[in-house]
Amino acid sequence: MHPTFQPGLRFEWHYTVPERASVPQLYHDTLFCRDMPDVLATGYLVGMMELACLHGMMPYVDWPHEQSLGTMVNFRHLAPTPPGMRLRIEGEVLEVEGRRVRFRVDAWDEVEKVCEGIHERHLIDPVRFRDKLARKQAQWRGKQQA
């Protein structure tokens, strides 16, 4: 990670909410969710908050040799957003400690603030991560065959 990636760095990212992000669409395989309001699902919003942080980090990492994964989310979903509305997500780097980065993130739709919270990401070496994942998958397959 580039040494200029420090606390205080701010970023902004925009995203238009697709139909597939609504509660009935995202959870289409759960019968009672099909009758829920056609609004942005919290689970999808969490992903957008993470993705905004990733976009904020990208100019400072040696992609693809250096990547990051989300390891903690603590968000409050404050208001509903229908598909088609555009989100503005703003973030700030609060802390950089070794490979761990902590962000403050807030989101607004075209009418009001819809989400706020804290997110952490960890830098990874993708080769080492894939090796670790392959070992876990082999262990899991071994348990299934036993």
Side-chain angles (χ1 to χ4, degrees):
M1 185 163 37
H2 197 273
T4 58
F5 188 72
Q6 295 292 320
L9 178 83
R10 293 177 179 269
F11 54 89
E12 184 174 307
W13 187 64
H14 297 262
Y15 184 79
T16 300
V17 177
E19 275 294 324
R20 71 177 182 276
S22 71
V23 175
Q25 294 290 320
L26 188 62
Y27 304 112
H28 62 89
D29 56 350
T30 303
L31 189 58
F32 63 84
C33 288
R34 293 183 198 161
D35 294 326
M36 293 181 75
D38 191 25
V39 295
L40 175 60
T42 301
Y44 200 94
L45 177 58
V46 167
M48 294 303 91
M49 301 291 274
E50 284 192 274
L51 194 52
C53 292
L54 183 55
H55 275 277
M57 289 181 77
M58 286 302 286
Y60 303 92
V61 297
D62 181 21
W63 184 270
H65 308 291
E66 203 174 35
Q67 297 179 15
S68 72
L69 297 174
T71 55
M72 190 278 295
V73 293
N74 185 2
F75 296 128
R76 290 181 356 138
H77 193 165
L78 305 170
T81 301
M85 270 198 178
R86 185 172 166 94
L87 295 177
R88 183 182 87 247
I89 304 173
E90 296 180 3
E92 179 181 359
V93 177
L94 296 178
E95 187 178 349
V96 179
E97 186 176 292
R99 295 181 299 132
R100 183 179 63 82
V101 182
R102 181 178 285 233
F103 300 90
R104 167 87 187 156
V105 196
D106 300 295
W108 292 262
D109 63 22
E110 296 175 60
V111 175
E112 62 189 329
K113 188 173 190 177
V114 297
C115 191
E116 63 186 16
I118 303 294
H119 176 49
E120 280 187 5
R121 301 190 70 76
H122 275 75
L123 287 173
I124 63 161
D125 173 337
V127 173
R128 286 182 48 214
F129 187 84
R130 281 192 293 275
D131 289 346
K132 183 178 179 179
L133 182 58
R135 286 192 303 273
K136 185 173 188 172
Q137 288 172 321
Q139 183 182 15
W140 175 59
R141 280 189 219 102
K143 287 184 177 187
Q144 287 183 319
Q145 294 171 356

